[in-house]
Amino acid sequence: MTDIKTRSTGFARSALAALALAAAGAAFWLTPAVSAEDAVVIPPPALDEKAASGSEKAIFAGGCFWGVQGVFQHVKGVSQAVSGYTGGAKDDAVYETVGTGRTGHAESVEITYDPSKVTYGQLLQVYFSVAHNPTQLNYQGPDSGTQYRSTIFAENDAQKKIAQSYIAQLDKAKLYGAPIVTTIETGKTFYPAENYHQDFLTLNPTYPYIVYNDLPKVANLKQLFPALYSEKPVLVLSASN
């Protein structure tokens, strides 16, 4: 979110900033929406987990967590998608500190899902296709720094194996204009982000950054994955309430 990052804290904490935000968002909404990144049509993974009942977690990082969270909140079989920080220490899991790019954290999303309804491989397909650009390592669109890296935080060896296999499969297919640079990290703890970051896309649909960078991702999810798309998002704050 680069310079845009400073606006979210002010927006959350200042009534004046909120009024300015609303005016800017309304003006931007009147202009045609153009996606910052095009989706890439990709095949499902050749290697995937077996469908099973229960609940599992997956953690993905791919730029600003607002858009990644917004996408996975619309995926059927996902019961929760929480924005947060992964890769660094607990004491550093604070928005302003993570924003320095020196904590080891990445803005990430922890997804709770039912593998009988959506598999880990299908989540990866959404992640690589519409949620972010996997050819951009330490940046996504206007946001730069290691906190925006393209990373899969594998929860176990099975997830690591599936992710490695899928990256190799996609690289071999040469579907992108550049090599996939997504890394795989293991043994990392997820820490939820501040409440004002949760459900940001749904709560701020006219915010310029959301309009340009993130709403097209949700539209692409609906178009490319109609069987996985849920019109109603699963929201963090409503669940906690």
Side-chain angles (χ1 to χ4, degrees):
M1 288 164 280
T2 55
D3 294 338
I4 302 175
K5 269 184 171 293
T6 58
R7 62 2 181 194
S8 64
T9 304
F11 167 71
R13 300 174 181 174
S14 165
L16 180 61
L19 290 174
L21 174 63
F28 196 93
W29 189 252
L30 296 176
T31 63
V34 180
S35 174
E37 292 287 349
D38 293 328
V40 178
V41 178
I42 59 177
L47 178 67
D48 199 354
E49 65 180 347
K50 295 181 179 179
S53 59
S55 179
E56 296 183 11
K57 293 184 183 296
I59 303 173
F60 301 139
C64 174
F65 44 25
W66 293 348
V68 179
Q69 180 192 46
V71 166
F72 285 103
Q73 286 181 320
H74 282 277
V75 174
K76 290 179 181 177
V78 171
S79 58
Q80 192 172 56
V82 181
S83 289
Y85 314 107
T86 312
K90 180 179 181 180
D91 290 345
D92 291 332
V94 179
Y95 180 66
E96 290 80 5
T97 308
V98 173
T100 66
R102 298 191 295 268
T103 66
H105 279 298
E107 290 195 10
S108 55
V109 175
E110 182 186 65
I111 301 158
T112 304
Y113 68 100
D114 182 346
S116 69
K117 298 177 180 178
V118 59
T119 65
Y120 185 69
Q122 288 175 308
L123 295 178
L124 285 176
Q125 189 178 13
V126 170
Y127 170 73
F128 283 116
S129 176
V130 302
H132 87 306
N133 184 340
T135 69
Q136 298 176 347
L137 179 57
N138 290 324
Y139 73 99
Q140 285 289 310
D143 306 323
S144 61
T146 58
Q147 69 271 31
Y148 300 114
R149 63 187 183 271
S150 173
T151 299
I152 296 167
F153 293 98
E155 291 281 277
N156 49 52
D157 289 341
Q159 287 188 357
K160 180 180 178 180
K161 185 176 181 180
I162 293 169
Q164 288 175 328
S165 173
Y166 198 26
I167 290 173
Q169 176 186 342
L170 294 176
D171 268 336
K172 185 176 181 180
K174 299 186 182 304
L175 297 170
Y176 301 90
I180 293 175
V181 293
T182 305
T183 58
I184 300 173
E185 299 182 33
T186 59
K188 306 296 185 180
T189 301
F190 173 85
Y191 302 100
E194 298 81 357
N195 278 347
Y196 65 85
H197 285 302
Q198 306 301 340
D199 309 328
F200 198 92
L201 182 149
T202 298
L203 296 175
N204 301 278
T206 61
Y207 195 64
Y209 183 96
I210 295 294
V211 171
Y212 183 69
N213 294 287
D214 297 331
L215 288 183
K217 297 178 181 180
V218 178
N220 287 333
L221 173 70
K222 183 177 183 179
Q223 180 181 0
L224 297 182
F225 301 95
L228 288 179
Y229 179 76
S230 173
E231 191 70 37
K232 183 178 179 180
V234 289
L235 301 181
V236 176
L237 299 182
S238 63
S240 63
N241 291 336

